[in-house]
Amino acid sequence: MSIYILGIESSCDDTSAAILKGTHMLSSVIANQEVHRKYGGVVPELASRAHQQNIIPVVEVALQKAKITKNQLSAIAFTRGPGLLGSLLVGTSFAKAFAMGLRIPIIEVNHLKAHILSHFVEDEHQKNHPEFPFLCLTVSGGHTQIVKVNSPADMVILGKTIDDAAGEAFDKAAKIMGLPYPGGPEIDKLAKIGNPLAFSFPEPKIGELDYSFSGLKTSFLYFLRDKLKVDDDFIENNRVDLSASIQHTIIAILMKKLRMAVKLTGINQVAIAGGVSANSGLREAMKQESEKSDWKIFLPPLKYTTDNAAMIAVTGYFKYLEKDFAPQSVTPYARGGF
Ligand code: KG4
Ligand code: ZN
């Protein structure tokens, strides 16, 4: 019998629904919330309201595109956390009510595990996936972790950021330069035509496989403050080189610890996941590493890098196989790892 999983993702500012048949993607629909752009960041209250408006239309379109009826669904998987509580509540409540009406189980999914398992969604753009165990660098707006993935259920965090996430480093640097939110993709675009060695910024000295990005943001801010004292147009005149240089530094920091993790574990299958895994510089650095060493790399298709519901559905599918269902009393959580 075919297993159809509806995935719901509402942890931040995208309302998404996806339907998978096994691990095969039938549909994936995302309603982006443009409302936050003018505020330069996500406004939680507006995000919850937009989820409330979008969730039913998004699920309806996902069902239409998948060409199945709601009665064919085997289970509903939803993001339980971490994320914005008001946003998570919308997806969680919707999943509970819809599943109760359909008399099917609900499956709670950890957003960070789902980013990692997005590598297992099959479609025309993604046919291969890593074998267990593999390493995954999860880099998003809220998290930066090196994870040893033993199985869909067994993941061990080997290192993580002690302060800002890599995505935050991109977003904060972009904000300092007056670029629109989210800043990561903006910096990526500008960096393509800039000189990555034009300016240098200090890398943090932090032990083991952990990361730290808050010092970089501060040194970037002070560097620009000093330059602006003597040249009002310094940012305008150097935007591409500043973007290329800050991106170069963030990637150097990320890759250094990832190399250490490969050495320490002896695992050479290396994946990246999360919003920042869309970054063209990071993808290029991974390719170069795989050419000069024996890494087997896995770069997700761009549509599976940022938040999406296909990754929630595939994680739900693995849990479905284990009959790992959630009770109707389940509540979302804003913080925490896995
Ligand atoms: O995974 P995600 O969509 O949401 C979270 O769970 O946080 O990640 C969003 C983050 C933002 O910080 C955004 O600026 C960053 O991913 N991002 C990028 C790129 N695309 C998205 N950062 C650098 N380069 C990109 N191309
Ligand atoms: Zn995410």
Side-chain angles (χ1 to χ4, degrees):
M1 199 187 76
S2 299
I3 296 165
Y4 293 98
I5 307 283
L6 166 65
I8 305 284
E9 155 62 31
S10 73
S11 66
C12 191
D13 59 341
D14 294 316
T15 319
S16 331
I19 294 169
L20 263 56
K21 180 180 180 182
T23 56
H24 189 80
M25 205 266 288
L26 298 181
S27 66
S28 179
V29 182
I30 302 183
N32 299 114
Q33 300 182 1
E34 283 304 318
V35 63
H36 306 287
R37 260 193 171 253
K38 65 173 183 251
Y39 297 99
V42 177
V43 184
E45 181 127 341
L46 295 178
S48 321
R49 285 167 200 241
H51 283 305
Q52 193 75 264
Q53 281 174 335
N54 293 338
I55 189 112
I56 289 179
V58 161
V59 170
E60 277 182 337
V61 175
L63 281 164
Q64 279 162 15
K65 285 194 167 169
K67 297 192 173 67
I68 66 161
T69 69
K70 59 183 189 295
N71 296 317
Q72 287 174 271
L73 292 173
S74 315
I76 301 177
F78 64 96
T79 307
R80 185 178 173 201
L84 300 171
L85 201 66
S87 292
L88 291 163
L89 276 165
V90 178
T92 305
S93 303
F94 173 84
K96 285 185 187 187
F98 198 28
M100 187 177 255
L102 294 170
R103 296 175 190 278
I104 54 176
I106 49 172
I107 301 168
E108 54 115 340
V109 170
N110 177 285
H111 183 85
L112 299 168
K113 281 190 172 173
H115 267 302
I116 295 171
L117 295 174
S118 66
H119 284 277
F120 292 84
V121 178
E122 277 177 273
D123 67 9
E124 71 275 23
H125 303 292
Q126 182 164 263
K127 303 214 184 304
N128 302 317
H129 58 74
E131 302 293 328
F132 300 108
F134 66 94
L135 295 179
C136 186
L137 172 69
T138 312
V139 267
S140 71
H143 296 84
T144 299
Q145 301 177 330
I146 298 177
V147 182
K148 180 171 175 249
V149 188
N150 297 317
S151 74
D154 179 9
M155 301 190 188
V156 182
I157 299 172
L158 302 180
K160 60 180 188 310
T161 181
I162 59 156
D163 42 54
D164 290 351
E168 264 177 297
F170 272 105
D171 294 341
K172 287 179 178 173
K175 199 169 184 177
I176 294 169
M177 288 192 283
L179 298 173
Y181 176 87
E186 301 290 328
I187 290 190
D188 192 354
K189 245 185 274 164
L190 296 171
K192 286 189 180 126
I193 48 171
N195 174 5
L197 303 176
F199 307 106
S200 66
F201 303 103
E203 290 185 23
K205 293 197 175 26
I206 174 147
E208 317 268 302
L209 297 175
D210 286 337
Y211 287 111
S212 167
F213 287 101
S214 69
L216 179 61
K217 175 201 66 189
T218 313
S219 62
F220 189 62
L221 184 68
Y222 289 168
F223 171 81
L224 287 180
R225 192 180 289 172
D226 290 345
K227 293 287 183 189
L228 287 168
K229 276 184 199 154
V230 287
D231 175 7
D232 283 345
D233 299 326
F234 184 79
I235 294 180
E236 272 91 284
N237 294 339
N238 295 281
R239 204 164 261 151
V240 291
D241 287 345
L242 285 167
S243 296
S245 300
I246 194 82
Q247 175 169 303
H248 178 78
T249 311
I250 295 171
I251 293 168
I253 295 170
L254 290 172
M255 292 303 292
K256 186 175 169 185
K257 295 297 172 88
L258 196 53
R259 271 186 222 106
M260 271 172 71
V262 170
K263 264 207 188 110
L264 279 169
T265 59
I267 297 172
N268 68 348
Q269 288 194 94
V270 191
I272 54 175
V276 181
S277 69
N279 184 267
S280 54
L282 178 60
R283 295 171 85 92
E284 189 51 41
M286 289 288 289
K287 282 182 197 153
Q288 284 178 10
E289 196 67 46
S290 77
E291 278 159 21
K292 73 170 189 245
S293 49
D294 63 343
W295 287 21
K296 188 162 185 229
I297 59 162
F298 295 87
L299 310 178
L302 290 185
K303 63 180 167 181
Y304 297 140
T305 58
T306 42
D307 292 346
N308 66 86
M311 68 185 196
I312 306 301
V314 80
T315 309
Y317 170 72
F318 287 125
K319 293 185 96 171
Y320 184 93
L321 296 179
E322 301 296 321
K323 295 198 169 28
D324 188 355
F325 303 132
Q328 272 282 340
S329 58
V330 64
T331 53
Y333 52 87
R335 294 177 179 280
F338 43 82

